[in-house]
Amino acid sequence: MCGIAGLLSANIDLRERLPLIENMSQSLKMRGPDGKGAFIKPYAALIHRRLSVIDPEKGKQPMQFGKYTIVYNGEIYNTEELRNELKALGYEFKTHCDTEVILKAYHKWKEKACRKLNGIFAFAVWDDEEKELFLCRDRIGVKPLYYSEKDGLFAFASRIKTLLLVPEITSEVDQEGLNEIFMLGPAKTIGTAVFKDINELPPASYMVYSKEKHVIREYWKLEATEHKESEKETIEHTRYLVKDAIERQLVSDVPLCTFLSGGLDSSIISRVASDYYKANGSTLNTYSVDYIDNDKYFKSSLFQPNKDSDFIDMISDYIGSSHHNIMLDNKEVAKVLIESTYARTLPGFTDVDSSLLLFCKEVKKKHTVALSGECADEIFGGYPWYHNKDILFEETFPWSRSTDVRKSILKDGLLLNGEEYVHHRYIETVNKTSYLDTDSKTEKRMREMFRLNLDWFMQTLLVRKDVMSMESSLEVRVPFCDYRIVEYAYNMPWSIKSLDGREKGVLRKAFEDVLPYEITWRKKSPYPKTHNPVYFKEVCKMVDAVLSDTSTPLCEMLDLDEIKKLMENPDALSAPWYGQLMRGPQVLAYIVQIYYWIKDNDVKFI
């Protein structure tokens, strides 16, 4: 994994902007601490920072072939198939890395090469003869890519922070951005980046940019097709796709491990990985995360019915992994809310972000690559909102069903048409859904739920995982995001997907013979968050400091009486802010993150 960036200008000699180019490179250092490179011409500059994973000696970037130069961030999991296909067409290769494969695939097939790639990626190819830039992002949106066009200058980067270094790009936030932060956050609309001058290249899209044109096209989308396999065949097919995706993602020239929570998804990944390692005469390392004294304060809930710690040792012993449990200090989790905001360049997932950042930093001490179980819940129906008939057909985002709790902390008049903005984004997403004429009412709604989860909840988790891991210089792969699994699950009948009336029923059936019964049929449990009151006390101290600082406009935006009520009684929150992971303490932490986001980026509200 790496960090990429670039500048194009027909009016400015970019050789005169060398300090800016170096600063942009430096801002990507954590994404790529192992090396850096730049391609600089008067009219174009491409920047690369490298985290070496495959072929450390020969995979340096920017990489050139003929008139093309590439900078690339990601991993391609069908590299060998593509390499062999290109060799049969007469291409020769000097490296073992996937960068060279993408570059020569683009040379051969141009934009059609996107459809041939199975992986997580964001890359840019510069055509030095046509003076044309090609940008592309993976189908699911695992790897980030942002861009801006301002005052005759075009810029792109893996981080929003990198783009804000460009003098022409401002840190202004308008009403749309405010709605994104307060009405939708920590989620955001695909294609936006909250800042007025910055956009996101959407997943499954490519851009062609030159002085004469600027076009964005979608190269892949979910299409409804008839599912013709039997229940037994579907179980077998699911097992094959998941196992194949995991094994493809175990390729690495540097130490690799897995995250293991004791839940179904991470246990499947760790079991497959452990078998792979044993076959090669080695032992898999697994990692879990928890908080000091968390067991002491744990309370069962609909969203988190039992503790991960009850199951982690069971599955680790079962698969024979070398397990490491990282125990986080609650005061440190609060403190790192600031660093995680800096890394994201937006207010984010509060302690869900900061704890992951601390966890990844610990894992990085011994490993460079990890596999994680994100996104199985979104595509296999793992969340409670898929199964609660009382909310299934509500015309709203199921993880944030009411805007009342959001409006309650804001002063009247701050947001124009906040509820309408949220509903518009909901309808906009649902309208992208592909159906079959034969779909029942339930099947149609399940497709809509799939689309909503893919474009919103899943994107939020993927941004979190990418930013916090790469801020730690750790590459985290997510096998359940293999587009083949996503396509297959989208067209799977709900009756099979929810076999035995269980969330992720088909996935449980597919792997029930290789996992302990207690793990296979364990109730869904989310990423662990702290229940220790020490964390809440620390956050309240931070909120007090925020509310006493009038140097930002934040206090003018908030209803301070409501904030103080929440500090006195965090359980009084009438509804979750964002699903099971953001309740009273997290709403207060979100306010802290908004404050530091404004301060760090000198945000101007317009």
Side-chain angles (χ1 to χ4, degrees):
M1 297 296 174
C2 306
I4 64 173
L7 295 168
L8 301 180
S9 178
N11 308 318
I12 304 168
D13 187 337
L14 294 175
R15 292 172 299 181
E16 299 174 1
R17 294 259 183 133
L18 294 181
L20 170 61
I21 291 169
E22 176 57 30
N23 287 341
M24 292 174 72
S25 175
Q26 191 65 21
S27 75
L28 296 166
K29 183 178 180 180
M30 295 308 294
R31 294 188 71 92
D34 298 333
K36 65 178 182 176
F39 167 92
I40 304 173
K41 293 289 183 77
Y43 38 77
L46 301 183
I47 301 163
H48 188 261
R49 298 293 308 216
R50 190 178 186 208
L51 177 66
S52 298
V53 174
I54 303 292
D55 199 353
E57 294 300 319
K58 298 179 182 178
K60 294 179 180 179
Q61 298 183 48
M63 185 178 288
Q64 292 179 261
F65 182 67
K67 64 177 182 175
Y68 297 119
T69 303
I70 188 173
V71 286
Y72 154 63
N73 166 33
E75 296 289 342
I76 304 301
Y77 303 126
N78 62 335
T79 297
E80 289 309 307
E81 293 97 319
L82 282 175
R83 194 194 315 272
N84 290 335
E85 185 177 354
L86 288 163
K87 281 182 177 179
L89 294 169
Y91 285 85
E92 296 179 353
F93 290 86
K94 298 178 180 179
T95 75
H96 297 294
C97 68
D98 47 2
T99 308
E100 187 179 9
V101 172
I102 297 174
L103 180 56
K104 290 178 178 176
Y106 182 77
H107 179 272
K108 176 61 182 176
W109 296 298
K110 301 300 184 292
E111 70 278 359
K112 293 179 181 178
C114 306
R115 300 185 183 95
K116 288 181 169 286
L117 303 176
N118 179 359
I120 54 178
F121 54 84
F123 66 87
V125 178
W126 172 251
D127 183 333
D128 204 43
E129 288 183 7
E130 299 297 327
K131 302 297 183 284
E132 187 173 271
L133 182 72
F134 181 85
L135 296 173
C136 186
R137 194 164 172 226
D138 67 75
R139 291 170 179 82
I140 309 302
V142 179
K143 291 289 106 182
L145 192 57
Y146 303 96
Y147 69 93
S148 180
E149 186 177 15
K150 189 80 179 295
D151 298 338
L153 190 73
F154 180 86
F156 68 90
S158 299
R159 295 184 71 199
I160 297 171
K161 175 77 68 180
T162 304
L163 293 179
L164 289 174
L165 293 172
V166 179
E168 286 82 355
I169 300 172
T170 71
S171 56
E172 293 178 338
V173 174
D174 57 17
Q175 272 287 316
E176 181 174 312
L178 277 174
N179 273 308
E180 292 283 326
I181 292 294
F182 286 111
M183 290 291 103
L184 294 171
K188 68 174 186 61
T189 305
I190 285 177
T192 70
V194 177
F195 294 97
K196 183 175 70 71
D197 285 350
I198 301 174
N199 296 294
E200 174 191 52
L201 183 65
S205 298
Y206 67 80
M207 175 193 291
V208 180
Y209 184 88
S210 68
K211 186 178 180 181
E212 291 75 28
K213 63 181 176 181
H214 176 181
V215 298
I216 296 176
R217 292 197 174 96
E218 192 176 54
Y219 65 86
W220 176 86
K221 61 182 178 181
L222 279 176
E223 296 282 5
T225 59
E226 184 181 357
H227 185 88
K228 298 180 179 180
E229 296 176 341
S230 68
E231 179 182 303
K232 182 180 178 182
E233 290 169 333
T234 303
I235 293 169
E236 291 173 350
H237 197 165
T238 299
R239 178 166 173 152
Y240 165 75
L241 287 174
V242 171
K243 188 170 182 286
D244 184 65
I246 296 167
E247 289 178 344
R248 285 176 180 269
Q249 298 187 28
L250 292 171
V251 177
S252 173
D253 291 336
V254 293
L256 179 147
C257 64
T258 67
F259 292 172
L260 181 60
S261 69
L264 177 69
D265 312 328
S266 67
S267 295
I268 289 171
I269 291 172
S270 296
R271 172 60 198 259
V272 174
S274 180
D275 289 350
Y276 180 93
Y277 269 63
K278 286 177 182 177
N280 288 279
S282 56
T283 300
L284 175 72
N285 283 272
T286 53
Y287 284 83
S288 61
V289 62
D290 208 343
Y291 307 83
I292 293 174
D293 288 336
N294 219 30
D295 283 1
K296 180 180 177 182
Y297 297 101
F298 176 82
K299 293 180 181 179
S300 179
S301 69
L302 171 66
F303 292 109
Q304 194 157 9
N306 42 47
K307 305 188 299 292
D308 285 343
S309 55
D310 296 339
F311 298 89
I312 291 170
D313 288 344
M314 178 192 298
I315 184 62
S316 175
D317 290 343
Y318 188 83
I319 66 174
S321 70
S322 176
H323 188 69
H324 316 268
N325 184 41
I326 306 301
M327 194 67 68
L328 302 182
D329 178 85
N330 290 278
K331 290 185 178 181
E332 192 69 12
V333 172
K335 179 181 177 182
V336 176
L337 286 168
I338 301 169
E339 185 181 348
S340 63
T341 306
Y342 172 84
R344 195 189 272 257
T345 330
L346 289 172
F349 234 150
T350 62
D351 55 280
V352 186
D353 275 3
S354 62
S355 61
L356 180 61
L357 180 56
L358 289 169
F359 178 49
C360 287
K361 285 183 176 183
E362 288 298 314
V363 174
K364 173 61 181 177
K365 290 178 180 179
K366 294 184 178 179
H367 291 83
T368 302
V369 180
L371 269 63
S372 183
E374 266 84 359
C375 305
D377 290 303
E378 286 80 4
I379 64 177
F380 286 111
Y383 293 121
W385 49 74
Y386 276 101
H387 304 268
N388 187 331
K389 294 181 180 179
D390 293 334
I391 66 173
L392 180 61
F393 289 95
E394 288 183 351
E395 291 191 358
T396 186
F397 295 111
W399 49 83
S400 189
R401 294 162 56 204
S402 171
T403 59
D404 289 349
V405 66
R406 294 171 178 268
K407 291 187 296 182
S408 70
I409 69 164
L410 301 176
K411 286 188 176 176
D412 292 339
L414 174 68
L415 296 177
L416 301 176
N417 305 315
E419 288 183 333
E420 291 85 350
Y421 185 85
V422 173
H423 188 65
H424 169 71
R425 292 306 193 191
Y426 166 82
I427 293 298
E428 185 179 60
T429 308
V430 167
N431 286 344
K432 292 165 59 179
T433 309
S434 174
Y435 314 102
L436 292 178
D437 293 339
T438 55
D439 283 344
S440 66
K441 180 182 177 182
T442 297
E443 291 292 350
K444 184 176 180 180
R445 183 54 177 169
M446 288 304 177
R447 290 191 191 276
E448 292 173 349
M449 290 289 282
F450 194 109
R451 182 86 256 175
L452 288 165
N453 278 269
L454 186 74
D455 286 3
W456 291 90
F457 209 84
M458 188 160 150
Q459 288 299 312
T460 308
L461 292 176
L462 289 175
V463 170
R464 163 187 174 257
K465 183 67 68 162
D466 174 81
V467 172
M468 300 308 141
S469 61
M470 294 307 292
E471 185 68 13
S472 311
S473 302
L474 177 73
E475 174 187 316
V476 177
R477 301 171 180 175
V478 279
F480 285 105
C481 283
D482 187 305
Y483 78 93
R484 299 170 302 160
I485 301 175
V486 174
E487 288 178 335
Y488 188 66
Y490 182 69
N491 287 296
M492 192 184 296
W494 180 246
S495 59
I496 297 180
K497 191 180 291 187
S498 59
L499 276 174
D500 297 329
R502 288 298 305 273
E503 71 281 1
K504 298 183 288 192
V506 69
L507 190 62
R508 296 177 191 276
K509 279 289 186 182
F511 289 90
E512 67 176 347
D513 64 329
V514 296
L515 295 174
Y517 177 88
E518 296 87 346
I519 299 292
T520 303
W521 299 103
R522 180 190 175 191
K523 189 76 174 174
K524 156 70 184 168
S525 189
Y527 175 84
K529 66 179 181 181
T530 181
H531 301 275
N532 195 318
V534 168
Y535 170 76
F536 179 64
K537 290 177 182 177
E538 289 300 307
V539 169
C540 286
K541 290 180 187 176
M542 298 173 82
V543 173
D544 278 333
V546 165
L547 298 184
S548 66
D549 184 355
T550 58
S551 66
T552 76
L554 183 58
C555 287
E556 300 170 15
M557 299 175 173
L558 301 175
D559 185 323
L560 302 188
D561 290 335
E562 289 298 319
I563 301 300
K564 289 174 182 176
K565 286 180 185 177
L566 195 56
M567 293 169 68
E568 292 167 2
N569 184 14
D571 295 329
L573 202 68
S574 60
W577 180 279
Y578 195 79
Q580 70 273 31
L581 297 175
M582 289 187 73
R583 297 275 176 168
Q586 287 73 36
V587 173
L588 294 170
Y590 191 63
I591 291 168
V592 171
Q593 288 195 312
I594 293 173
Y595 169 81
Y596 282 102
W597 167 66
I598 294 171
K599 291 275 285 187
D600 182 56
N601 298 289
D602 192 24
V603 175
K604 302 290 192 302
F605 296 100
I606 58 173

